[in-house]
Amino acid sequence: MAKAIQKITLDRSDDIPFDKLELSQKNVRNIKAGVSIEELANDIALRGLLMSLNVRPMLGEEGKETGHYEVPAGGRRYRALELLIKQKRMAKTEPIPCIVKRGGATSLEDDSLAENVHRLQLHPLDQFRAFQTLHLQGLGEEEIAARYFVSVSTVRQRLRLASVSPRLLDLYASDEMKLEQVMAFSITNDHVRQEQVWDTVSRSHVRESYYIRRLLTETAVRVADRRAVYVGIEAYEAAGGVIMRDLFEQDQGGWLQDPALLEQLVFDRLKTDAEALKTQEGWKWVDAALDFPYGHTSGLRRFYGERAEVSAEELDRYDKVKAEYDKLDAEYAEAENYSEETETRIEELGNELDRLNDRPYVFDRQDVVRGGAFISLSASGELKIERGFVRPEDEPVVDVDERDAGDHDGGADDAVASATTGGVSVNGKSVAVESPEQEDDRVRPISDRVIEDLTATRTIAMRNALANDPVMAFVAALHVFVLKTFFVYGSDSCLEITLQSAKFSQTQDLGETVWAKEIEERHEVWGHDLPKDASEVWDYLVALDEASRQALFAHCVSQSLNAVVQAWNRRPAAIAHAEQLARSIAFDMVEAGWVPTVDNYLGRVTKAHILQAVLEAKGEQSAQLIDHLKKPDMAREAARLLEGSGWLPEPLRFAVDQAPVEIADHADDGPIEGSTAAASDVDLPAFLAEDVEGEGVSPEDVDAGEQRNLDAAE
């Protein structure tokens, strides 16, 4: 006969006045955690008591119930109700829903522990979706935050997480995706893009949240980008642009999701600013572009303005501000306590001094009407204006006849002499074509041959004198360099010294490097200091102090340095000399600040080169982490791994322990035409030594080099 299963009988509930309840000292919860008593009391006042208290009757001496009950489970709810009574928001006799337990096989401590341990926390996804439902029902973010005692930012975060693709949220619910990954996907509301990125990441070994964020934002533009700074976020959003925000990590303002719209806004504003500059300042032309290639001013004559004169009022104001600034700064330096008001005042005075010192440059109106300017964007997003350039076709036309007439008072004799000599003169005196001597009393022009011999003698004597005066020799060479560097149409020099400055307009973003900016700033400073007329440069250099003269000399000489290796022009001896020069000035590209990036190297070489770079800098284990990635992803990850490593590609390294260049099969033939005898004795980098042979690079070598470049770009 089957044994009957005993049925379970549950304890009955009852409403007990609060003043009949007492908190049991056997409640196991003693550590404060979660929502505070004050917040719980406010929630009970809002929605009532959602969970009954668990109570047991208190017994008297004979085991009879006294009418009072102790609360072993629900202590926080008890304290919250007690707080409401103290705040006079609830009567102390208010009936409280309770589950009354009489007898049983468990103790008070057992019941208290079971109530807390058996409670299952709500899955985060359920909470996200619940917040979303409340929001759809009309509750604002602030109201939800107030009801559940969290910050408004927390509510926004959870609402954003709930808006992620349902497919991805289902993966999170089944523990196939981590919360950090869901947080990364919440950057964008584009569910299609989210799922595309997840499909890519799920097939990869790299699934970290930073990688997901990178893939989601690779086509977007950061708010800190110079284009966004120039246009302004308000203008971008007013034009219909959308900004992606990361609510879980620092995003420096987020990402602009529509680069095409941003580019159009930039070009429109640049065009407007260029027209305004042309109209306001009277330039003949103003060219505007996001960037100009390095060396874009080559072939244009540059002229500089002069600082606006300081008025008496400005000078008086400067003296007063400077005196106040010095006094306040000295007093604050001796003060012991921090003063925000004093620091603010010092900063205001410093800014005013800067405004008074940085007076605008005033240009000659005759130069302005034939000159122009370039407008572009600086790295910080500010407008970069380069003023004072004249194109060759806009140069003023000088009438040769009028110029010659103004050089000297040409009398009748001069006119006759000029006609008979073909217009040749020295120091304003006509020079005759050599002819048989005519013995008469008339003083005829000196023959060309005599003049040549005399000036040759003078030249040799001057060479000797200049060799014995090193200071003037230095000034003379510097004079040539300054004319070639700063005066496109400058006067010639008696020194047959040439100075050339190669242009590298084919290299993208070269003008934005820190080195190019330093050169440009130094050139600007010297350009403003030098005389405007080339004929006055000599006197300026002679009067210049020695330190400034050497600095100017170094600047001009540096402009002629060219260590570029080109497929059609390898120049092994020149590159070897560049190595020697670099060592002599203790130059190193790492110390100079060069780091490998996607744009300058990693994105322009093959995957094998990228892996080789990581292998050399970080070891085999790091290379294996990225060897499965596609090239764009591999390049980005390699840039992150190489950051701070000091790694350099071979063309930027010093040649160390390289074998001298050997020119095969010509040991007995002497130097090859077009090469130098010293070239074979110089250590060259491997990338040059590999195929430098004979008379240089053949057309076949050029074609092969171009093919290698095409392979690297794939």
Side-chain angles (χ1 to χ4, degrees):
M1 182 176 177
K3 186 176 181 181
I5 299 176
Q6 186 175 359
K7 305 297 183 183
I8 298 174
T9 302
L10 299 178
D11 296 318
R12 298 293 180 262
S13 62
D14 195 4
D15 291 341
I16 302 174
F18 183 81
D19 59 354
K20 300 296 184 182
L21 301 176
E22 295 181 16
L23 184 61
S24 174
Q25 298 304 312
K26 297 181 179 181
N27 191 305
V28 299
R29 184 190 290 273
N30 293 310
I31 308 300
K32 293 183 179 180
V35 179
S36 68
I37 299 300
E38 293 80 5
E39 292 171 344
L40 181 56
N42 291 330
D43 188 71
I44 292 174
L46 174 66
R47 69 184 82 253
L49 193 63
L50 298 180
M51 296 177 60
S52 302
L53 298 181
N54 189 314
V55 302
R56 290 197 181 198
M58 299 178 67
L59 305 178
E61 295 179 356
E62 298 179 359
K64 294 183 179 181
E65 296 184 7
T66 61
H68 287 73
Y69 300 83
E70 59 180 335
V71 183
R76 298 182 70 253
R77 280 164 280 158
Y78 177 88
R79 291 191 180 94
L81 294 169
E82 185 178 45
L83 179 60
L84 290 173
I85 293 173
K86 288 181 179 179
Q87 295 174 345
K88 299 187 182 302
R89 300 168 68 185
M90 189 180 79
K92 62 181 179 180
T93 58
E94 178 68 25
I96 307 300
C98 299
I99 302 296
V100 183
K101 184 172 183 179
R102 292 179 171 86
T106 58
S107 64
L108 275 70
E109 293 86 351
D110 195 3
D111 288 351
S112 177
L113 180 62
E115 185 189 54
N116 289 284
V117 170
H118 294 166
R119 182 185 303 165
L120 182 63
Q121 290 291 338
L122 191 66
H123 191 282
L125 181 56
D126 291 329
Q127 188 185 68
F128 305 158
R129 286 172 169 166
F131 274 27
Q132 187 181 48
T133 301
L134 292 176
H135 192 55
L136 293 174
Q137 290 175 352
L139 290 182
E141 295 172 351
E142 292 79 6
E143 191 172 358
I144 295 175
R147 286 193 179 187
Y148 292 93
F149 312 108
V150 294
S151 66
V152 176
S153 62
T154 299
V155 174
R156 289 173 181 162
Q157 289 175 343
R158 294 172 183 176
L159 290 174
R160 177 70 68 83
L161 290 171
S163 67
V164 172
S165 166
R167 175 190 162 197
L168 302 187
L169 291 180
D170 290 342
L171 293 173
Y172 171 53
S174 58
D175 294 330
E176 296 181 51
M177 184 184 294
K178 297 179 181 179
L179 177 60
E180 291 77 11
Q181 293 171 315
V182 180
M183 292 162 61
F185 279 112
S186 70
I187 290 180
T188 177
N189 293 324
D190 188 344
H191 289 180
V192 174
R193 180 60 180 156
Q194 290 174 349
E195 294 173 7
Q196 288 175 344
V197 170
W198 172 250
D199 291 339
T200 300
V201 170
S202 60
R203 295 191 297 267
S204 167
H205 296 292
V206 184
R207 300 188 179 185
E208 282 76 8
S209 57
Y210 78 86
Y211 185 55
I212 294 173
R213 286 184 172 89
R214 180 177 297 174
L215 293 179
L216 288 170
T217 59
E218 63 183 352
T219 60
V221 178
R222 279 200 173 274
V223 167
D225 185 273
R226 56 178 179 154
R227 294 167 293 175
V229 173
Y230 175 61
V231 171
I233 301 304
E234 296 79 8
Y236 170 77
E237 290 182 317
V242 178
I243 297 180
M244 296 190 298
R245 294 301 308 270
D246 190 342
L247 299 184
F248 301 94
E249 289 192 359
Q250 292 293 330
D251 61 4
Q252 288 80 46
W255 297 264
L256 280 66
Q257 202 167 351
D258 194 341
L261 173 62
L262 178 62
E263 289 280 339
Q264 186 60 50
L265 293 174
V266 169
F267 291 138
D268 290 345
R269 184 172 177 186
L270 277 173
K271 183 179 179 181
T272 302
D273 288 341
E275 289 294 332
L277 181 69
K278 181 179 178 182
T279 302
Q280 293 170 6
E281 300 186 10
W283 298 102
K284 181 176 181 180
W285 53 268
V286 175
D287 284 353
L290 189 62
D291 286 301
F292 289 101
Y294 188 71
H296 63 283
T297 61
S298 176
L300 304 182
R301 178 171 66 85
R302 181 75 185 272
F303 61 90
Y304 297 90
E306 296 182 353
R307 291 279 191 185
E309 292 293 333
V310 184
S311 65
E313 293 79 6
E314 289 176 330
L315 190 59
D316 183 59
R317 178 59 183 168
Y318 179 87
D319 293 338
K320 291 180 180 179
V321 173
K322 188 68 167 62
E324 183 182 356
Y325 178 88
D326 292 340
K327 178 182 178 182
L328 197 59
D329 187 53
E331 292 175 352
Y332 190 55
E334 298 177 357
E336 297 181 356
N337 299 325
Y338 167 79
S339 172
E340 182 178 357
E341 181 180 354
T342 303
E343 288 203 352
T344 301
R345 180 56 181 164
I346 291 176
E347 183 178 358
E348 291 175 352
L349 294 172
N351 292 336
E352 187 170 359
L353 288 175
D354 290 339
R355 286 193 298 271
L356 292 171
N357 280 323
D358 297 336
R359 300 183 307 282
Y361 288 98
V362 178
F363 293 86
D364 189 294
R365 296 304 303 173
Q366 293 183 353
D367 288 331
V368 171
V369 296
R370 68 171 63 96
F374 295 94
I375 282 186
S376 58
L377 288 188
S378 67
S380 62
E382 297 177 348
L383 203 60
K384 178 182 178 181
I385 304 177
E386 301 169 275
R387 298 176 173 89
F389 296 92
V390 181
R391 294 167 174 163
E393 61 268 24
D394 294 330
E395 289 290 350
V397 178
V398 179
D399 192 319
V400 178
D401 295 335
E402 291 181 3
R403 181 189 60 191
D404 292 343
D407 287 343
H408 59 87
D409 298 329
D413 292 340
D414 287 342
V416 173
S418 179
T420 59
T421 61
V424 180
S425 63
V426 175
N427 291 334
K429 300 298 182 181
S430 300
V431 178
V433 178
E434 188 167 3
S435 59
E437 267 188 37
Q438 298 180 10
E439 294 295 339
D440 54 32
D441 295 335
R442 295 175 58 187
V443 179
R444 299 181 179 276
I446 301 175
S447 68
D448 292 347
R449 181 56 186 271
V450 173
I451 291 175
E452 182 178 343
D453 291 343
L454 291 175
T455 53
T457 304
R458 181 172 181 264
T459 298
I460 294 300
M462 286 181 64
R463 284 184 179 181
N464 184 59
L466 188 61
N468 290 305
D469 193 339
V471 173
M472 280 299 105
F474 180 85
V475 173
L478 176 58
H479 180 249
V480 175
F481 294 165
V482 170
L483 293 179
K484 298 295 184 183
T485 303
F486 290 92
F487 296 87
V488 177
Y489 307 102
S491 301
D492 291 332
S493 169
C494 64
L495 272 64
E496 294 183 343
I497 299 175
T498 60
L499 183 141
Q500 297 178 344
S501 182
K503 308 303 177 184
F504 313 113
S505 58
Q506 73 281 2
T507 303
Q508 295 295 323
D509 299 327
L510 190 58
E512 291 302 319
T513 61
V514 62
W515 317 295
K517 290 181 178 179
E518 287 186 14
I519 292 173
E520 181 183 1
E521 181 179 352
R522 187 165 52 243
H523 198 87
E524 284 282 318
V525 171
W526 280 116
H528 285 294
D529 286 347
L530 287 168
K532 292 182 173 56
D533 192 338
S535 63
E536 300 174 3
V537 173
W538 178 264
D539 293 336
Y540 171 85
L541 296 178
V542 171
L544 204 60
D545 63 272
E546 187 64 25
S548 299
R549 195 182 293 155
Q550 290 181 0
L552 180 56
F553 183 83
H555 173 69
C556 294
V557 170
S558 69
Q559 294 297 94
S560 70
L561 193 152
N562 184 6
V564 176
V565 177
Q566 297 167 307
W568 54 273
N569 186 22
R570 292 299 178 98
R571 306 181 304 137
I575 301 305
H577 175 245
E579 289 269 321
Q580 295 173 333
L581 176 59
R583 293 181 187 277
S584 298
I585 61 177
F587 176 78
D588 180 78
M589 282 299 286
V590 175
E591 294 181 0
W594 190 90
V595 292
T597 65
V598 175
D599 293 332
N600 66 17
Y601 180 74
L602 297 170
R604 305 174 64 185
V605 296
T606 63
K607 294 176 66 173
H609 284 101
I610 299 174
L611 291 174
Q612 181 184 6
V614 175
L615 181 66
E616 292 177 356
K618 307 296 289 188
E620 185 175 357
Q621 185 175 3
S622 295
Q624 290 176 349
L625 290 176
I626 65 173
D627 62 2
H628 63 283
L629 298 175
K630 293 182 179 180
K631 183 181 172 181
D633 298 332
M634 180 185 289
R636 284 191 291 266
E637 286 304 302
R640 185 179 65 85
L641 291 171
L642 293 175
E643 186 175 353
S645 67
W647 180 87
L648 292 173
E650 187 178 353
L652 299 184
R653 303 175 189 172
F654 281 119
V656 180
D657 299 329
Q658 296 286 348
V661 177
E662 296 182 2
I663 305 179
D665 302 327
H666 293 281
D668 300 326
D669 299 338
I672 298 176
E673 183 180 354
S675 66
T676 62
S680 61
D681 299 327
V682 181
D683 291 344
L684 291 178
F687 72 95
L688 280 178
E690 287 174 356
D691 54 2
V692 174
E693 190 169 319
E695 297 180 341
V697 183
S698 66
E700 290 79 6
D701 294 331
V702 175
D703 294 340
E706 291 178 352
Q707 183 60 46
R708 284 194 296 272
N709 291 336
L710 290 175
D711 294 340
E714 291 181 355

